[in-house]
Amino acid sequence: MTALSFDPRPRRAAFRTLHDHGCFVLPNPWDVGSARYLHSLGFPALASTSSGVAWSQGNADGELSLEATLEHLHALAAATPLPVNADFGDGFGSLEAVGHNVARAIATGVAGISIEDAGPDPAHPLRTLDEAVARVRAARDAIDASGEDVILVGRAENFFVGRPDLDDAITRLRAYAAAGADCLYAPGITTAGQIQAVVAAVAPRPVNLLVGSAVPYTLQDIADMGVRRVSVGGAMARTAWGGMMRASQLLRDEGRFDGFGDAASGAVLNQLFR
């Protein structure tokens, strides 16, 4: 991985400020091109998506290696002047490796790093609370040792791994906050009651809400619930894949080309990236 071509400190300071008040969207590009397009629309920050980049390389979510993830984060951070939050799984590998790996992620220039509590054992998809807290604390120690102002996000994966226990998720989020997480995140919560309960439980720390599908809320509704930031995970990548899959299946099954009717203009794309 080459040296950084930019000073990440102003981006990190700006990212920290975004968490102080209001509600902002950090959409999730899956490659350099999608990052640059989202920057052109005026979003204030971006977040990586482990699923989106994995699919783009022909892998399932969770199968991308640490080295490939770091290379992707380096490219994404360099693609635009926006701060980038890193979807960094569980920190990769053993507890003893988490701090070292987080230090390497910081070196890619990202402004935030998310650590989740899902484990590798399908029979026990959530790590024990003690194990999960130890990994968050290791990430916190690595950030502090770096001297860099990088946001640490603690993630409770209950609703993502088939354990939709809101009370347990809140217990975990509170523990991650106590271990040094700056922002808390329970992907998969969807109802207003769930969202407001999480916000209240970890206040005054900011909460990230995942909106990965069509929901009955506007951004203002979500802000009124007290959410500080909104990400979309792999939804944009899935939207792109959906268009390509529909067009290609129509071509194969019916020999028709009208699946390209919603395709972006090549001229517009060339102008954007020129």
Side-chain angles (χ1 to χ4, degrees), residues 34-82:
S34 55
R36 289 180 177 166
Y37 176 67
L38 292 168
H39 171 234
S40 77
L41 294 182
F43 288 103
L46 304 173
S48 70
T49 161
S50 63
S51 59
V53 65
W55 300 328
S56 74
Q57 298 186 26
N59 292 296
D61 188 16
E63 292 183 354
L64 214 60
S65 69
L66 170 63
E67 297 303 323
T69 299
L70 292 169
E71 289 292 340
H72 172 64
L73 294 175
H74 186 273
L76 210 59
T80 81
L82 298 179

mmCIF file of all heavy atoms in Angstrom, residues 34-82:
data_model
loop_
_atom_site.group_PDB
_atom_site.id
_atom_site.type_symbol
_atom_site.label_atom_id
_atom_site.label_comp_id
_atom_site.label_asym_id
_atom_site.label_seq_id
_atom_site.Cartn_x
_atom_site.Cartn_y
_atom_site.Cartn_z
ATOM 1 N N SER A 34 -18.113 5.008 -7.915
ATOM 2 C CA SER A 34 -19.330 5.336 -7.177
ATOM 3 C C SER A 34 -19.035 6.344 -6.075
ATOM 4 O O SER A 34 -19.875 7.193 -5.759
ATOM 5 C CB SER A 34 -19.977 4.067 -6.605
ATOM 6 O OG SER A 34 -19.074 3.329 -5.813
ATOM 7 N N ALA A 35 -17.834 6.295 -5.495
ATOM 8 C CA ALA A 35 -17.455 7.296 -4.486
ATOM 9 C C ALA A 35 -17.399 8.685 -5.099
ATOM 10 O O ALA A 35 -17.902 9.662 -4.521
ATOM 11 C CB ALA A 35 -16.106 6.933 -3.870
ATOM 12 N N ARG A 36 -16.802 8.784 -6.266
ATOM 13 C CA ARG A 36 -16.684 10.100 -6.905
ATOM 14 C C ARG A 36 -18.052 10.633 -7.332
ATOM 15 O O ARG A 36 -18.302 11.846 -7.254
ATOM 16 C CB ARG A 36 -15.728 10.010 -8.096
ATOM 17 C CG ARG A 36 -14.285 9.820 -7.655
ATOM 18 C CD ARG A 36 -13.331 9.727 -8.826
ATOM 19 N NE ARG A 36 -11.957 9.620 -8.343
ATOM 20 C CZ ARG A 36 -10.921 9.265 -9.102
ATOM 21 N NH1 ARG A 36 -11.101 8.991 -10.386
ATOM 22 N NH2 ARG A 36 -9.717 9.191 -8.575
ATOM 23 N N TYR A 37 -18.925 9.760 -7.763
ATOM 24 C CA TYR A 37 -20.265 10.224 -8.121
ATOM 25 C C TYR A 37 -20.997 10.750 -6.886
ATOM 26 O O TYR A 37 -21.599 11.835 -6.926
ATOM 27 C CB TYR A 37 -21.075 9.100 -8.763
ATOM 28 C CG TYR A 37 -22.498 9.527 -9.050
ATOM 29 C CD1 TYR A 37 -22.767 10.496 -10.016
ATOM 30 C CD2 TYR A 37 -23.565 9.025 -8.316
ATOM 31 C CE1 TYR A 37 -24.062 10.930 -10.254
ATOM 32 C CE2 TYR A 37 -24.861 9.448 -8.549
ATOM 33 C CZ TYR A 37 -25.100 10.410 -9.520
ATOM 34 O OH TYR A 37 -26.377 10.839 -9.742
ATOM 35 N N LEU A 38 -20.939 10.023 -5.788
ATOM 36 C CA LEU A 38 -21.623 10.474 -4.570
ATOM 37 C C LEU A 38 -21.030 11.780 -4.060
ATOM 38 O O LEU A 38 -21.762 12.660 -3.584
ATOM 39 C CB LEU A 38 -21.532 9.386 -3.496
ATOM 40 C CG LEU A 38 -22.338 8.113 -3.815
ATOM 41 C CD1 LEU A 38 -21.972 6.988 -2.853
ATOM 42 C CD2 LEU A 38 -23.838 8.386 -3.771
ATOM 43 N N HIS A 39 -19.734 11.947 -4.199
ATOM 44 C CA HIS A 39 -19.105 13.226 -3.841
ATOM 45 C C HIS A 39 -19.667 14.349 -4.698
ATOM 46 O O HIS A 39 -19.942 15.452 -4.206
ATOM 47 C CB HIS A 39 -17.590 13.121 -4.016
ATOM 48 C CG HIS A 39 -16.877 14.429 -3.891
ATOM 49 N ND1 HIS A 39 -16.022 14.905 -4.863
ATOM 50 C CD2 HIS A 39 -16.912 15.372 -2.928
ATOM 51 C CE1 HIS A 39 -15.562 16.095 -4.492
ATOM 52 N NE2 HIS A 39 -16.083 16.397 -3.325
ATOM 53 N N SER A 40 -19.878 14.077 -5.996
ATOM 54 C CA SER A 40 -20.373 15.117 -6.904
ATOM 55 C C SER A 40 -21.776 15.584 -6.518
ATOM 56 O O SER A 40 -22.175 16.695 -6.865
ATOM 57 C CB SER A 40 -20.378 14.609 -8.346
ATOM 58 O OG SER A 40 -21.468 13.729 -8.601
ATOM 59 N N LEU A 41 -22.521 14.746 -5.803
ATOM 60 C CA LEU A 41 -23.883 15.104 -5.386
ATOM 61 C C LEU A 41 -23.906 15.955 -4.119
ATOM 62 O O LEU A 41 -24.959 16.466 -3.743
ATOM 63 C CB LEU A 41 -24.709 13.839 -5.164
ATOM 64 C CG LEU A 41 -24.988 12.980 -6.400
ATOM 65 C CD1 LEU A 41 -25.855 11.785 -6.022
ATOM 66 C CD2 LEU A 41 -25.658 13.783 -7.506
ATOM 67 N N GLY A 42 -22.767 16.084 -3.449
ATOM 68 C CA GLY A 42 -22.699 16.964 -2.304
ATOM 69 C C GLY A 42 -22.835 16.302 -0.945
ATOM 70 O O GLY A 42 -22.993 17.007 0.054
ATOM 71 N N PHE A 43 -22.790 14.980 -0.874
ATOM 72 C CA PHE A 43 -22.834 14.334 0.434
ATOM 73 C C PHE A 43 -21.610 14.736 1.250
ATOM 74 O O PHE A 43 -20.521 14.915 0.700
ATOM 75 C CB PHE A 43 -22.884 12.813 0.279
ATOM 76 C CG PHE A 43 -24.210 12.304 -0.222
ATOM 77 C CD1 PHE A 43 -24.359 11.913 -1.547
ATOM 78 C CD2 PHE A 43 -25.300 12.215 0.622
ATOM 79 C CE1 PHE A 43 -25.580 11.452 -2.022
ATOM 80 C CE2 PHE A 43 -26.525 11.753 0.163
ATOM 81 C CZ PHE A 43 -26.671 11.369 -1.162
ATOM 82 N N PRO A 44 -21.748 14.863 2.579
ATOM 83 C CA PRO A 44 -20.630 15.352 3.380
ATOM 84 C C PRO A 44 -19.617 14.289 3.780
ATOM 85 O O PRO A 44 -18.523 14.612 4.244
ATOM 86 C CB PRO A 44 -21.322 15.912 4.635
ATOM 87 C CG PRO A 44 -22.528 15.046 4.804
ATOM 88 C CD PRO A 44 -22.987 14.749 3.393
ATOM 89 N N ALA A 45 -19.979 13.023 3.643
ATOM 90 C CA ALA A 45 -19.100 11.929 4.057
ATOM 91 C C ALA A 45 -19.558 10.651 3.370
ATOM 92 O O ALA A 45 -20.677 10.575 2.842
ATOM 93 C CB ALA A 45 -19.127 11.755 5.570
ATOM 94 N N LEU A 46 -18.677 9.649 3.385
ATOM 95 C CA LEU A 46 -18.972 8.361 2.770
ATOM 96 C C LEU A 46 -18.650 7.250 3.762
ATOM 97 O O LEU A 46 -17.927 7.457 4.735
ATOM 98 C CB LEU A 46 -18.135 8.156 1.504
ATOM 99 C CG LEU A 46 -18.249 9.221 0.412
ATOM 100 C CD1 LEU A 46 -17.221 8.959 -0.682
ATOM 101 C CD2 LEU A 46 -19.661 9.250 -0.168
ATOM 102 N N ALA A 47 -19.188 6.061 3.492
ATOM 103 C CA ALA A 47 -18.837 4.877 4.275
ATOM 104 C C ALA A 47 -18.627 3.717 3.323
ATOM 105 O O ALA A 47 -19.339 3.585 2.324
ATOM 106 C CB ALA A 47 -19.934 4.543 5.285
ATOM 107 N N SER A 48 -17.644 2.891 3.616
ATOM 108 C CA SER A 48 -17.438 1.712 2.784
ATOM 109 C C SER A 48 -18.525 0.685 3.082
ATOM 110 O O SER A 48 -19.218 0.761 4.093
ATOM 111 C CB SER A 48 -16.054 1.115 3.021
ATOM 112 O OG SER A 48 -15.967 0.519 4.304
ATOM 113 N N THR A 49 -18.679 -0.268 2.189
ATOM 114 C CA THR A 49 -19.623 -1.359 2.375
ATOM 115 C C THR A 49 -18.896 -2.672 2.106
ATOM 116 O O THR A 49 -18.443 -2.921 0.987
ATOM 117 C CB THR A 49 -20.861 -1.235 1.469
ATOM 118 O OG1 THR A 49 -21.512 -2.524 1.364
ATOM 119 C CG2 THR A 49 -20.521 -0.763 0.071
ATOM 120 N N SER A 50 -18.777 -3.503 3.126
ATOM 121 C CA SER A 50 -18.062 -4.768 2.947
ATOM 122 C C SER A 50 -18.765 -5.647 1.921
ATOM 123 O O SER A 50 -18.117 -6.327 1.123
ATOM 124 C CB SER A 50 -17.940 -5.503 4.282
ATOM 125 O OG SER A 50 -19.215 -5.852 4.800
ATOM 126 N N SER A 51 -20.097 -5.625 1.928
ATOM 127 C CA SER A 51 -20.828 -6.453 0.961
ATOM 128 C C SER A 51 -20.653 -5.931 -0.452
ATOM 129 O O SER A 51 -20.387 -6.700 -1.388
ATOM 130 C CB SER A 51 -22.315 -6.507 1.328
ATOM 131 O OG SER A 51 -22.895 -5.218 1.356
ATOM 132 N N GLY A 52 -20.787 -4.624 -0.634
ATOM 133 C CA GLY A 52 -20.683 -4.052 -1.970
ATOM 134 C C GLY A 52 -19.349 -4.323 -2.626
ATOM 135 O O GLY A 52 -19.271 -4.719 -3.803
ATOM 136 N N VAL A 53 -18.258 -4.118 -1.900
ATOM 137 C CA VAL A 53 -16.942 -4.353 -2.498
ATOM 138 C C VAL A 53 -16.706 -5.850 -2.696
ATOM 139 O O VAL A 53 -16.076 -6.261 -3.685
ATOM 140 C CB VAL A 53 -15.823 -3.706 -1.659
ATOM 141 C CG1 VAL A 53 -15.699 -4.339 -0.287
ATOM 142 C CG2 VAL A 53 -14.491 -3.788 -2.389
ATOM 143 N N ALA A 54 -17.208 -6.688 -1.796
ATOM 144 C CA ALA A 54 -17.046 -8.135 -1.958
ATOM 145 C C ALA A 54 -17.735 -8.611 -3.236
ATOM 146 O O ALA A 54 -17.151 -9.365 -4.031
ATOM 147 C CB ALA A 54 -17.608 -8.867 -0.744
ATOM 148 N N TRP A 55 -18.978 -8.165 -3.456
ATOM 149 C CA TRP A 55 -19.695 -8.571 -4.668
ATOM 150 C C TRP A 55 -18.976 -8.102 -5.922
ATOM 151 O O TRP A 55 -18.941 -8.808 -6.929
ATOM 152 C CB TRP A 55 -21.119 -8.024 -4.638
ATOM 153 C CG TRP A 55 -21.929 -8.502 -3.479
ATOM 154 C CD1 TRP A 55 -21.832 -9.722 -2.840
ATOM 155 C CD2 TRP A 55 -22.951 -7.779 -2.793
ATOM 156 N NE1 TRP A 55 -22.727 -9.783 -1.806
ATOM 157 C CE2 TRP A 55 -23.431 -8.622 -1.748
ATOM 158 C CE3 TRP A 55 -23.522 -6.511 -2.957
ATOM 159 C CZ2 TRP A 55 -24.441 -8.216 -0.882
ATOM 160 C CZ3 TRP A 55 -24.532 -6.108 -2.089
ATOM 161 C CH2 TRP A 55 -24.991 -6.951 -1.070
ATOM 162 N N SER A 56 -18.403 -6.911 -5.872
ATOM 163 C CA SER A 56 -17.721 -6.378 -7.056
ATOM 164 C C SER A 56 -16.501 -7.211 -7.427
ATOM 165 O O SER A 56 -16.027 -7.152 -8.569
ATOM 166 C CB SER A 56 -17.304 -4.923 -6.826
ATOM 167 O OG SER A 56 -16.193 -4.836 -5.953
ATOM 168 N N GLN A 57 -16.005 -8.002 -6.476
ATOM 169 C CA GLN A 57 -14.834 -8.840 -6.722
ATOM 170 C C GLN A 57 -15.196 -10.322 -6.778
ATOM 171 O O GLN A 57 -14.314 -11.189 -6.726
ATOM 172 C CB GLN A 57 -13.775 -8.577 -5.654
ATOM 173 C CG GLN A 57 -13.280 -7.131 -5.676
ATOM 174 C CD GLN A 57 -12.135 -6.869 -4.721
ATOM 175 O OE1 GLN A 57 -11.376 -7.776 -4.387
ATOM 176 N NE2 GLN A 57 -11.991 -5.638 -4.292
ATOM 177 N N GLY A 58 -16.504 -10.599 -6.876
ATOM 178 C CA GLY A 58 -16.942 -11.980 -7.023
ATOM 179 C C GLY A 58 -16.889 -12.784 -5.743
ATOM 180 O O GLY A 58 -16.762 -14.019 -5.792
ATOM 181 N N ASN A 59 -17.001 -12.117 -4.593
ATOM 182 C CA ASN A 59 -16.994 -12.791 -3.301
ATOM 183 C C ASN A 59 -18.302 -12.530 -2.568
ATOM 184 O O ASN A 59 -18.993 -11.543 -2.839
ATOM 185 C CB ASN A 59 -15.845 -12.277 -2.426
ATOM 186 C CG ASN A 59 -14.494 -12.677 -2.957
ATOM 187 O OD1 ASN A 59 -14.173 -13.852 -3.022
ATOM 188 N ND2 ASN A 59 -13.683 -11.698 -3.335
ATOM 189 N N ALA A 60 -18.621 -13.409 -1.628
ATOM 190 C CA ALA A 60 -19.739 -13.158 -0.722
ATOM 191 C C ALA A 60 -19.290 -12.197 0.363
ATOM 192 O O ALA A 60 -18.092 -12.076 0.652
ATOM 193 C CB ALA A 60 -20.220 -14.470 -0.108
ATOM 194 N N ASP A 61 -20.240 -11.523 0.967
ATOM 195 C CA ASP A 61 -19.916 -10.613 2.062
ATOM 196 C C ASP A 61 -19.212 -11.395 3.171
ATOM 197 O O ASP A 61 -19.613 -12.501 3.529
ATOM 198 C CB ASP A 61 -21.198 -9.977 2.609
ATOM 199 C CG ASP A 61 -20.932 -8.875 3.619
ATOM 200 O OD1 ASP A 61 -19.782 -8.386 3.680
ATOM 201 O OD2 ASP A 61 -21.881 -8.492 4.322
ATOM 202 N N GLY A 62 -18.151 -10.815 3.698
ATOM 203 C CA GLY A 62 -17.390 -11.459 4.756
ATOM 204 C C GLY A 62 -16.229 -12.285 4.276
ATOM 205 O O GLY A 62 -15.424 -12.748 5.091
ATOM 206 N N GLU A 63 -16.105 -12.486 2.952
ATOM 207 C CA GLU A 63 -15.033 -13.318 2.418
ATOM 208 C C GLU A 63 -13.808 -12.521 1.979
ATOM 209 O O GLU A 63 -12.782 -13.105 1.646
ATOM 210 C CB GLU A 63 -15.537 -14.147 1.235
ATOM 211 C CG GLU A 63 -16.549 -15.219 1.625
ATOM 212 C CD GLU A 63 -16.982 -16.061 0.439
ATOM 213 O OE1 GLU A 63 -16.583 -15.742 -0.700
ATOM 214 O OE2 GLU A 63 -17.718 -17.034 0.668
ATOM 215 N N LEU A 64 -13.890 -11.189 1.972
ATOM 216 C CA LEU A 64 -12.763 -10.386 1.540
ATOM 217 C C LEU A 64 -11.682 -10.411 2.615
ATOM 218 O O LEU A 64 -11.970 -10.267 3.804
ATOM 219 C CB LEU A 64 -13.211 -8.946 1.268
ATOM 220 C CG LEU A 64 -12.508 -8.202 0.130
ATOM 221 C CD1 LEU A 64 -12.705 -8.915 -1.188
ATOM 222 C CD2 LEU A 64 -13.018 -6.771 0.043
ATOM 223 N N SER A 65 -10.447 -10.570 2.196
ATOM 224 C CA SER A 65 -9.345 -10.664 3.148
ATOM 225 C C SER A 65 -9.021 -9.309 3.767
ATOM 226 O O SER A 65 -9.437 -8.255 3.267
ATOM 227 C CB SER A 65 -8.090 -11.198 2.442
ATOM 228 O OG SER A 65 -7.589 -10.220 1.532
ATOM 229 N N LEU A 66 -8.251 -9.333 4.828
ATOM 230 C CA LEU A 66 -7.784 -8.096 5.449
ATOM 231 C C LEU A 66 -6.994 -7.260 4.450
ATOM 232 O O LEU A 66 -7.205 -6.043 4.348
ATOM 233 C CB LEU A 66 -6.919 -8.419 6.668
ATOM 234 C CG LEU A 66 -6.159 -7.246 7.289
ATOM 235 C CD1 LEU A 66 -7.113 -6.192 7.818
ATOM 236 C CD2 LEU A 66 -5.225 -7.742 8.391
ATOM 237 N N GLU A 67 -6.087 -7.884 3.715
ATOM 238 C CA GLU A 67 -5.249 -7.130 2.783
ATOM 239 C C GLU A 67 -6.093 -6.477 1.692
ATOM 240 O O GLU A 67 -5.877 -5.308 1.343
ATOM 241 C CB GLU A 67 -4.189 -8.044 2.159
ATOM 242 C CG GLU A 67 -3.211 -8.635 3.159
ATOM 243 C CD GLU A 67 -2.485 -7.569 3.966
ATOM 244 O OE1 GLU A 67 -2.162 -6.496 3.400
ATOM 245 O OE2 GLU A 67 -2.236 -7.809 5.164
ATOM 246 N N ALA A 68 -7.063 -7.218 1.158
ATOM 247 C CA ALA A 68 -7.925 -6.661 0.118
ATOM 248 C C ALA A 68 -8.779 -5.526 0.685
ATOM 249 O O ALA A 68 -9.016 -4.517 0.011
ATOM 250 C CB ALA A 68 -8.818 -7.753 -0.468
ATOM 251 N N THR A 69 -9.226 -5.682 1.919
ATOM 252 C CA THR A 69 -10.027 -4.631 2.559
ATOM 253 C C THR A 69 -9.205 -3.370 2.747
ATOM 254 O O THR A 69 -9.684 -2.255 2.469
ATOM 255 C CB THR A 69 -10.564 -5.125 3.911
ATOM 256 O OG1 THR A 69 -11.409 -6.263 3.691
ATOM 257 C CG2 THR A 69 -11.347 -4.040 4.625
ATOM 258 N N LEU A 70 -7.979 -3.502 3.195
ATOM 259 C CA LEU A 70 -7.121 -2.330 3.395
ATOM 260 C C LEU A 70 -6.826 -1.626 2.080
ATOM 261 O O LEU A 70 -6.839 -0.391 2.011
ATOM 262 C CB LEU A 70 -5.819 -2.755 4.079
ATOM 263 C CG LEU A 70 -5.959 -3.222 5.530
ATOM 264 C CD1 LEU A 70 -4.656 -3.865 5.999
ATOM 265 C CD2 LEU A 70 -6.354 -2.076 6.450
ATOM 266 N N GLU A 71 -6.574 -2.385 1.028
ATOM 267 C CA GLU A 71 -6.341 -1.775 -0.287
ATOM 268 C C GLU A 71 -7.572 -1.007 -0.747
ATOM 269 O O GLU A 71 -7.468 0.098 -1.300
ATOM 270 C CB GLU A 71 -5.964 -2.850 -1.309
ATOM 271 C CG GLU A 71 -4.586 -3.447 -1.116
ATOM 272 C CD GLU A 71 -3.466 -2.452 -1.401
ATOM 273 O OE1 GLU A 71 -3.704 -1.446 -2.091
ATOM 274 O OE2 GLU A 71 -2.338 -2.690 -0.924
ATOM 275 N N HIS A 72 -8.739 -1.586 -0.523
ATOM 276 C CA HIS A 72 -9.982 -0.916 -0.914
ATOM 277 C C HIS A 72 -10.173 0.370 -0.122
ATOM 278 O O HIS A 72 -10.532 1.412 -0.692
ATOM 279 C CB HIS A 72 -11.156 -1.858 -0.690
ATOM 280 C CG HIS A 72 -12.495 -1.225 -0.873
ATOM 281 N ND1 HIS A 72 -12.932 -0.730 -2.088
ATOM 282 C CD2 HIS A 72 -13.499 -0.978 0.023
ATOM 283 C CE1 HIS A 72 -14.139 -0.223 -1.951
ATOM 284 N NE2 HIS A 72 -14.503 -0.352 -0.684
ATOM 285 N N LEU A 73 -9.940 0.328 1.181
ATOM 286 C CA LEU A 73 -10.099 1.532 2.004
ATOM 287 C C LEU A 73 -9.136 2.620 1.577
ATOM 288 O O LEU A 73 -9.492 3.802 1.536
ATOM 289 C CB LEU A 73 -9.894 1.189 3.482
ATOM 290 C CG LEU A 73 -10.939 0.272 4.112
ATOM 291 C CD1 LEU A 73 -10.544 -0.083 5.537
ATOM 292 C CD2 LEU A 73 -12.330 0.921 4.082
ATOM 293 N N HIS A 74 -7.914 2.242 1.255
ATOM 294 C CA HIS A 74 -6.912 3.205 0.789
ATOM 295 C C HIS A 74 -7.393 3.882 -0.493
ATOM 296 O O HIS A 74 -7.307 5.115 -0.638
ATOM 297 C CB HIS A 74 -5.584 2.484 0.563
ATOM 298 C CG HIS A 74 -4.446 3.381 0.231
ATOM 299 N ND1 HIS A 74 -4.149 3.779 -1.055
ATOM 300 C CD2 HIS A 74 -3.516 3.969 1.023
ATOM 301 C CE1 HIS A 74 -3.086 4.572 -1.036
ATOM 302 N NE2 HIS A 74 -2.675 4.703 0.201
ATOM 303 N N ALA A 75 -7.913 3.091 -1.436
ATOM 304 C CA ALA A 75 -8.392 3.652 -2.707
ATOM 305 C C ALA A 75 -9.617 4.530 -2.490
ATOM 306 O O ALA A 75 -9.743 5.605 -3.102
ATOM 307 C CB ALA A 75 -8.713 2.516 -3.677
ATOM 308 N N LEU A 76 -10.519 4.102 -1.613
ATOM 309 C CA LEU A 76 -11.746 4.859 -1.372
ATOM 310 C C LEU A 76 -11.438 6.194 -0.688
ATOM 311 O O LEU A 76 -12.011 7.226 -1.050
ATOM 312 C CB LEU A 76 -12.687 4.029 -0.498
ATOM 313 C CG LEU A 76 -14.189 4.226 -0.680
ATOM 314 C CD1 LEU A 76 -14.604 3.912 -2.105
ATOM 315 C CD2 LEU A 76 -14.942 3.327 0.306
ATOM 316 N N ALA A 77 -10.531 6.166 0.279
ATOM 317 C CA ALA A 77 -10.180 7.402 0.983
ATOM 318 C C ALA A 77 -9.493 8.395 0.058
ATOM 319 O O ALA A 77 -9.650 9.613 0.224
ATOM 320 C CB ALA A 77 -9.290 7.083 2.179
ATOM 321 N N ALA A 78 -8.735 7.890 -0.907
ATOM 322 C CA ALA A 78 -8.017 8.767 -1.840
ATOM 323 C C ALA A 78 -8.887 9.248 -2.992
ATOM 324 O O ALA A 78 -8.508 10.171 -3.709
ATOM 325 C CB ALA A 78 -6.792 8.039 -2.399
ATOM 326 N N ALA A 79 -10.066 8.633 -3.171
ATOM 327 C CA ALA A 79 -10.889 8.914 -4.344
ATOM 328 C C ALA A 79 -11.524 10.288 -4.315
ATOM 329 O O ALA A 79 -11.768 10.892 -5.358
ATOM 330 C CB ALA A 79 -11.975 7.846 -4.478
ATOM 331 N N THR A 80 -11.831 10.797 -3.111
ATOM 332 C CA THR A 80 -12.511 12.089 -2.965
ATOM 333 C C THR A 80 -11.923 12.809 -1.749
ATOM 334 O O THR A 80 -11.203 12.193 -0.949
ATOM 335 C CB THR A 80 -14.032 11.927 -2.748
ATOM 336 O OG1 THR A 80 -14.286 11.617 -1.368
ATOM 337 C CG2 THR A 80 -14.621 10.854 -3.651
ATOM 338 N N PRO A 81 -12.249 14.084 -1.561
ATOM 339 C CA PRO A 81 -11.807 14.783 -0.347
ATOM 340 C C PRO A 81 -12.714 14.569 0.859
ATOM 341 O O PRO A 81 -12.537 15.238 1.878
ATOM 342 C CB PRO A 81 -11.806 16.254 -0.786
ATOM 343 C CG PRO A 81 -12.819 16.335 -1.865
ATOM 344 C CD PRO A 81 -12.827 15.010 -2.559
ATOM 345 N N LEU A 82 -13.654 13.642 0.756
ATOM 346 C CA LEU A 82 -14.607 13.418 1.840
ATOM 347 C C LEU A 82 -14.060 12.444 2.882
ATOM 348 O O LEU A 82 -13.305 11.529 2.549
ATOM 349 C CB LEU A 82 -15.916 12.848 1.285
ATOM 350 C CG LEU A 82 -16.690 13.719 0.308
ATOM 351 C CD1 LEU A 82 -17.950 12.986 -0.149
ATOM 352 C CD2 LEU A 82 -17.041 15.064 0.922
#
